[in-house]
Amino acid sequence: MNALKAQSHHTLQKETMTEATNHFSRNPANTIVMGIETSCDETAVAIVDEKKTILAHSLLSQIDDHNEYGGVVPEIAARQHISNLDHLIRRTLQDSSLSIDDLDAIAATTGPGLVGGLMVGVMTAKAIAAASGKPFVAVNHLEGHALTARLVEDIEFPYLLLLMSGGHCQLLAAHGVGQYQRLGSTIDDAAGEAFDKTAKLLGLGYPGGPAVEAAARSGNPERFNLPTPMVGRPDCDFSFSGLKTAVRRIAEACVTERGMLYADDRNDICAAFQQAMALCIEDRLQNAIALFRKTAGNRTMPLVVAGGVAANQYLRSRIKTTAANNNMTFHAPPLELCTDNGAMIAWAGLERFSLNPEINDKDMAPRPRWPLDSEAKPKVGSGRKGPKV
Ligand code: KG4
Ligand code: ZN
């Protein structure tokens, strides 16, 4: 962890930010919300306003701290959030030339996620809110992803949402803030999880998504045949665990044949993996579009992709084509707003606060599991603390 890394992420701001920071006039009619994200391995803070300006944005990634373990270690993550959150908040306020008094609400990711990290963000946000007499807004991390496209563009409800992150893979009809209907979801691994496990199997490190994408760029997708689970089924669910098993089998066969896994083997496996993933997503999406149209009608509708996997350029372009072929407009946040960040939490908090200025979630505790659609039945097991998938 170092300040330099924070600085480099910190520069990943919307281009409008510098200007907005310099010329920001404190308009009492302009709602301003701070958002805190600590649900996984990124400590992030941002301040956004209702004019859709990211006034300041800081992010500290813990990738180096978890890399050697091949995944996120919850205790390490929580400890790093504790060490870093205070100074990120201070710096974000400084960068925006605002003080806590200028904020209308403090939002924090309250679930789903790793409970230790969630507690750090939620307790900090509640303490700031209580001390300054501002409301605390509890934000569902998935809703943060779901609404990010509206921070970047003027997209009206309803829209079809494909949410693909490290912990989730879902197709949802977004009818309004807090109103989501799940059309399909993964019955085993999430899309990002499949990328991460494939990368781990191939020795490509963590997080796997960007590494697999980079390797696939110089690979031949036709050399290996990978399965496309669920394709052809009438529903909108996903399954990715079979892909991971097939990747292991192929990698083992390469080692047996050539004595080791060469770079070209890795690249070809990654290219085949991404292609299989795209085929699954296209097929599932096609069914979801048909289902969505039953209630939303046949006019041109928005298709929004969100979550870390939506940063994948290859998948983005395949999904964009599917959208165009189905009379849907395609919307994806810029890459740095696809993966976890503070702006998505600030914006979701702002959307919720704007709809209900009396809101104050100060009595809400962190929720390791928190489905976006509270009505949905779990696909796999229910668990003591609510649906897992
Ligand atoms: O949304 P996110 O930052 O965190 C969660 O809410 O889970 O998503 C992280 C996931 C990781 O599994 C990571 O490997 C994946 O997003 N990811 C990618 C890419 N960038 C991040 N997957 C595929 N291609 C990418 N370029
Ligand atoms: Zn996320």
Side-chain angles (χ1 to χ4, degrees), residues 42 141 145 165-167 192-193 195-196 207-210 213 307-309 311-312 338-340:
E42 250 106 33
H141 181 86
H145 281 304
S165 69
E193 198 176 353
F195 270 97
D196 293 338
E213 181 174 18
V309 181
N312 186 292
C338 284
T339 45
D340 292 349

